[in-house]
Amino acid sequence: CVGPPMVIYQTDEDGKRLEPYEEAVIEVDDTYTGSVVELLSSRKGMLQEMGPGTAGQTIIKYNIPTRGLIGLRNSILTATRGTGIMNTVFNEYGEYAGDIKMRDQGSLVGFETGDVTMYACMSAQERGTLFVKPGEKIYEGQVVGIHQRPGDLKVNVCKKKAMTNVRANKDATVVLNEKKDMSLDDCVEYIGDDEIVEITPISVRIAKNPKMNQKNARR
């Protein structure tokens, strides 16, 4: 199992906490400059330089806490429709930047062990983006998707359609979305403090950390 990435802090002579900062250089189409600047600023980045690049592009240079880079590359690719290019290099240790909101959305968490059904997926996909598809086996506590709103939501993606439930016409009109495939890097960038990545020879899955759940239950 792999937990969320963590940076190495240091302490200065006055006892203040210091954290690593990196220089991030992003090359982006002019159309998406505003979106990229907003993303970097939300991660406590400090704009150092902005200027024209090649035709129709802008080069942006930021000094940003290493914590703020976790998951940022995928966010930039999404905001720029796959056209943004980011390179980073360690810069220095600086003053702790405070809390950084890494994720605006919660997780969809399975609360039943079993086989994923199409019937359940049709309902669950209305709540967000799924990582699973019909026929896959999941277990209680596994993260099965991204919630479209802040906070986690427990869903039952193993629910079977009742034989007496007459909804044939509606079911025929519902199109099941493709699941979102997550690589190991994607999973490590996605997980929150209470989540872990489980790696096996045949699968890479995200789950809620049972140790964190036990700590929260004691409080």
Side-chain angles (χ1 to χ4, degrees):
C1 294
V2 177
M6 299 182 68
V7 302
I8 299 175
Y9 296 104
Q10 293 185 355
T11 304
D12 66 9
E13 297 177 353
D14 298 324
K16 293 182 179 179
R17 182 161 58 164
L18 305 177
E19 66 175 322
Y21 281 74
E22 299 193 31
E23 181 183 273
V25 179
I26 304 95
E27 186 174 351
V28 59
D29 289 346
D30 294 341
T31 307
Y32 306 116
T33 300
S35 299
V36 172
V37 168
E38 184 177 349
L39 270 173
L40 289 161
S41 298
S42 69
R43 300 295 187 95
K44 304 291 186 179
M46 293 168 284
L47 180 62
Q48 304 296 305
E49 187 178 336
M50 180 187 296
T54 55
Q57 293 192 319
T58 301
I59 296 178
I60 309 169
K61 184 182 293 185
Y62 265 80
N63 190 39
I64 183 171
T66 300
R67 289 182 297 133
L69 293 174
I70 299 173
L72 181 61
R73 195 177 301 274
N74 280 340
S75 296
I76 287 179
L77 287 174
T78 300
T80 62
R81 298 189 177 182
T83 61
I85 300 174
M86 181 174 73
N87 294 294
T88 62
V89 63
F90 173 75
N91 188 16
E92 62 181 354
Y93 268 83
E95 186 176 346
Y96 179 68
D99 293 336
I100 298 178
K101 190 175 183 180
M102 306 300 294
R103 213 168 74 188
D104 295 326
Q105 299 166 304
S107 295
L108 297 176
V109 184
F111 66 80
E112 181 179 326
T113 299
D115 296 330
V116 178
T117 67
M118 181 175 292
Y119 174 70
C121 286
M122 288 179 179
S123 175
Q125 71 180 10
E126 296 178 0
R127 305 289 187 175
T129 303
L130 296 179
F131 297 153
V132 296
K133 64 181 180 180
E136 292 186 6
K137 295 184 180 294
I138 71 156
Y139 57 87
E140 180 183 357
Q142 180 177 333
V143 174
V144 297
I146 304 173
H147 190 200
Q148 62 187 4
R149 297 181 180 179
D152 296 337
L153 178 68
K154 290 188 175 182
V155 294
N156 185 358
V157 292
C158 300
K159 185 177 181 180
K160 297 180 180 179
K161 182 178 179 179
M163 296 299 293
T164 56
N165 195 357
V166 182
R167 295 177 61 188
N169 291 335
K170 182 177 180 180
D171 291 347
T173 61
V174 176
V175 177
L176 190 62
N177 298 330
E178 289 285 337
K179 76 168 189 176
K180 181 178 178 64
D181 290 321
M182 299 280 282
S183 67
L184 175 58
D185 289 342
D186 292 335
C187 290
V188 172
E189 288 188 348
Y190 172 80
I191 57 176
D193 292 338
D194 63 340
E195 295 168 341
I196 56 176
V197 179
E198 295 182 338
I199 307 165
T200 71
I202 60 174
S203 66
V204 177
R205 298 181 293 192
I206 302 173
K208 287 295 175 180
N209 189 337
K211 293 183 179 179
M212 294 291 291
N213 291 337
Q214 290 173 4
K215 288 181 180 179
N216 293 334
R218 294 192 188 109
R219 292 176 182 176

